[in-house]
Amino acid sequence: MTVARTRMPRGLFADDALPLYERTAKQLLDDLRATAAHPGDRLPSERALAARYAVSRVTLRAALADLESRGIVRPSSTRGWFVADLDQLPGPAAATEATPQVQGLADFARVNGLTPSSRVLSATVRPATVSEAEDLRIAPGADLFELHRLRFLDGLLVVLEHNRLPLTACPALAETDFNTASLYATLRAADPPQTPRVADYSCEARHPTPREMELFEIGDTMPMLVATTLTFNQAGRPIELTVQVYRGDRYRFRASITNPA
């Protein structure tokens, strides 16, 4: 697996196969273009938009957060939502297509035509340790949502994932079944939305632990690649600390390296 994003061919999935918030975002964007909206135009209220598209306020906010993450709309803390730039969507030959993106496994699977699935090993709320609190900028002992999952693509086990998130960022985490739900979709639907925007990422190789050998059904000679990610939301606050353990033969990390001079 690679974390580099590739463009999905048009027409590969019908619109009704997309998550509801994405269909709503597409409808809203189509309406903005159809009405020749300009940067700075104010959108109708969230209540009016939710009624127009026959969705809940939670879904509507996730759709707006999706458009915000692409630079199409922007929020005002007191005045609602405004058009930012309808020309932010990349064209067919955008040069940044292959650059790594902050995306969950479900997002990666969708744009690459794969079927994701998960098996939750444990999901708990516990006090944050001093180290976790330092990384996530919360108080030691604050409520932390901790999730261990096995993640599959087309039924093939790819990664053992350990997620830790401040519960205050999205209280719904504790009530969500992540055997079927997407973690990032749940964050985008939070109130206020939590949009993963930037991530600090590191990767290293090591031998598997006995537990990993059991779960992956491998021997001790198979190298494991361990990726540690600290993800920040649209406001620059850390919202997720994740460790992902991959079989060495099922993971590839690719990035563009540039000279700032």
Side-chain angles (χ1 to χ4, degrees), residues 21-22 25 57-67 185 188-190 193:
Y21 81 89
E22 289 195 9
R57 293 280 291 276
V58 170
T59 297
L60 189 278
R61 288 177 183 136
L64 290 168
D66 180 56
L67 294 177
R188 296 186 193 107

Side-chain angles (χ1 to χ4, degrees), residues 105-125:
L105 188 70
D107 298 321
F108 170 87
R110 175 173 49 79
V111 299
N112 287 278
L114 302 171
T115 301
S117 58
S118 300
R119 177 158 63 92
V120 172
L121 302 177
S122 66
T124 59
V125 175

